[in-house]
Every structure is written in C-alpha cells, then in structure tokens.
Amino acid sequence: MKNTQGILIPEEIRQRVLNAKRVVALTGAGISAESGVPTFRGADGLWQNYRAEELATLHAFRKDPELVWKWYDWRRGIIGKAQPNPGHEALVRMEAFYPRFTLITQNVDGLHRKAGSRNVIEIHGNLWRVRCTEEQKTFYLEDVPLREIPPRCACGALVRPDVVWFGESLDPELMNRARQALVSCDLLLIIGTSGVVQPVAGFPAVARQAGAMLIEINPAQTPLSPLCDFTLNGKSGELLRELIPHAVY
Ligand code: NAD
C-alpha cells in the first residue's frame, strides 16, 4: 500500500529491515526539517544573504565574531522553539528494538537527545555548547537570545560554538566510535543528508564495504543514492515510521 507521499516500500526491504541486528542511522539536517529547522541547502537556509559556508568557518569568526554569533543566535532562536518530530521519535524506538543501534548525526541542534535517543554520536558538535578560545574548556550556554554578542568566557576571552566548522577536523575519538559502528553494522539508514560534507559523506562507503545494506531516505537524489540498495524519495517523518512498524507502533 502506498502512503500519503505515494511511496511503496517493498516487502523484501521491510523484511530485511526487520531482521537486521546491528543498525546505524546517519542523519543530517533533513531529519530536523519537519521540526521547522532550516537545512543549509534548502531555499530557507540563507540568512541575510549569507550562505552557511561563508559563516561556519574559523576564518569568518576571526574576521567578524559578532556577525557569526548573530547568525548562531538566529539559528538558536529557531532551534530553541523546535520540537522533535516523528522521524526523531522513530529512531528512539529503533534504539529500543535492535540489539545494537548507533545514531551518528551531523546535526548540532540536539533534537535527537531531546527526543530520547541515547547512543548518539554528535559528530559535528552541539550548538548549545561553547568553547573558550583561550582555555579551550567547553560549557553549555543556552540563553536565547544571547545576553551579549559575541559572548565571552569568565576569563574574558571570546567563546565560539563547540561545533565543527568547514575546514576543521573532527574529534578523533568520535570518528573512531563512528567507524567502529559502521564497520560492524548490517543495516545503515542514511536520512536527510545531502552527502556532500566530508568526511561524513564517506561513511556510507565504509558500511557498504563491510557488507551492510544501505537504505536512504531523502526527498531528493544525492551523490550517495547510487551506493544504496534502496532509496525512499520522501520525508523522513512518515517514512521512518512505515519502515519499522515492528519497532514502533
Ligand atoms: P544539507 O542542508 O546539506 O542537506 C539536507 C538534506 O535533507 C537534503 O538532501 C534534503 O533533500 C534533505 N531533506 C529535506 N527535507 C527532508 C525531510 N523532510 N526528510 C528527509 N530529508 C530531507 O544538510 P547536511 O547534509 O546535514 O549537511 C550540512 C551540514 O550542516 C551538517 O554538517 C550539519 O551539521 C549542518 N546543519 C545542521 C542543522 C541542524 O542541526 N538541524 C541544520 C542545518 C545544517
């Protein structure tokens, strides 16, 4: 039976998903789109005519920390009001259903944890956490809007969002955990990512090489689509619930 998006999930795929034991979900901005959080590459991803790639960099921060923090303050304002959607919730249920389940997210919005997911690798950091540019210590700063822009540490130095900017390296410990999960999974779900931000865009190939089945959920085709066994071209909220009715409802 087709769903409201006109998409049919073949029985064979349902069965393989049902029988999986070690599952990894890799999520991107698209899973939070139905919560009202703009993606970077969607039409509403622009802010004051800047593209994310111009603001989410160390270079931009050094040049104009006030501008960069104003952008983050805007994003935190949107995300602070957002609630997890059925896509986030379906992943929480999957974690309870499968013997091994790891969620690797590129999102910095914290919505997976807010929904109740526990084994979450926030590979690009978290936008509610900040890092002192002098002492490198991290702490949560959750004021919306911020009381001062740019915000500062008690030591007087500027703080930056504790996220991975374009051109920066990922935390090796988190990379290692992600890799462990990818090489040992039998099913990888790739949800709401445009598949262009490295090194995460290379993760599906790692799971594929290790023999996992790959299923993508995204309204658009992506560079990762040809690698997948199956692509569901629709929104993740409804489709995730349908893919795993055994786990969920
Ligand atoms: P992206 O903006 O490049 O791509 C979003 C993808 O989601 C697109 O392929 C789009 O077709 C798809 N999509 C849109 N609506 C969807 C829906 N309802 N269901 C499923 N898919 C949907 O995002 P990205 O690939 O995650 O990479 C961008 C980088 O931007 C990441 O590093 C991430 O940290 C950051 N980012 C995070 C957030 C967030 O935390 N919510 C938001 C924007 C960007």
Side-chain angles (χ1 to χ4, degrees), residues 47-178:
W47 174 76
Q48 296 189 9
N49 293 326
Y50 290 97
R51 289 185 306 122
E53 290 87 339
E54 295 172 81
L55 296 164
T57 70
L58 186 59
H59 176 73
F61 181 74
R62 285 193 175 138
K63 193 169 144 217
D64 194 344
E66 189 178 330
L67 175 73
V68 171
W69 265 114
K70 276 185 178 164
W71 178 56
Y72 276 99
D73 197 40
W74 169 75
R75 291 181 65 199
R76 288 159 55 111
I78 295 170
I79 291 167
K81 290 194 206 99
Q83 294 302 324
N85 66 54
H88 296 106
E89 285 155 16
L91 293 174
V92 178
R93 310 266 183 125
M94 287 179 94
E95 183 167 2
F97 179 81
Y98 287 109
R100 266 171 62 191
F101 182 84
T102 307
L103 177 47
I104 305 171
T105 188
Q106 298 168 85
N107 294 347
V108 295
D109 57 30
L111 286 176
H112 284 303
R113 285 187 197 281
K114 195 169 176 181
S117 286
R118 281 177 301 193
N119 192 16
V120 185
I121 302 174
E122 291 178 318
I123 200 98
H124 287 166
N126 186 303
L127 154 150
W128 301 107
R129 211 170 46 224
V130 297
R131 189 178 347 134
C132 174
T133 54
E134 282 296 324
E135 301 168 313
Q136 305 305 325
K137 69 175 181 189
T138 60
F139 55 97
Y140 282 85
L141 180 64
E142 296 182 283
D143 303 338
V144 177
L146 285 162
R147 273 180 277 179
E148 59 168 345
I149 293 183
R152 290 181 180 275
C153 178
C155 76
L158 285 176
V159 296
R160 57 166 282 178
D162 192 25
V163 301
V164 179
W165 280 331
F166 291 106
E168 292 185 322
S169 304
L170 275 62
D171 179 336
E173 196 193 314
L174 294 184
M175 278 295 277
N176 197 30
R177 275 179 60 202

Side-chain angles (χ1 to χ4, degrees), residues 190-201:
I190 306 162
I191 307 159
T193 176
S194 57
V196 296
V197 178
Q198 291 292 353
V200 176

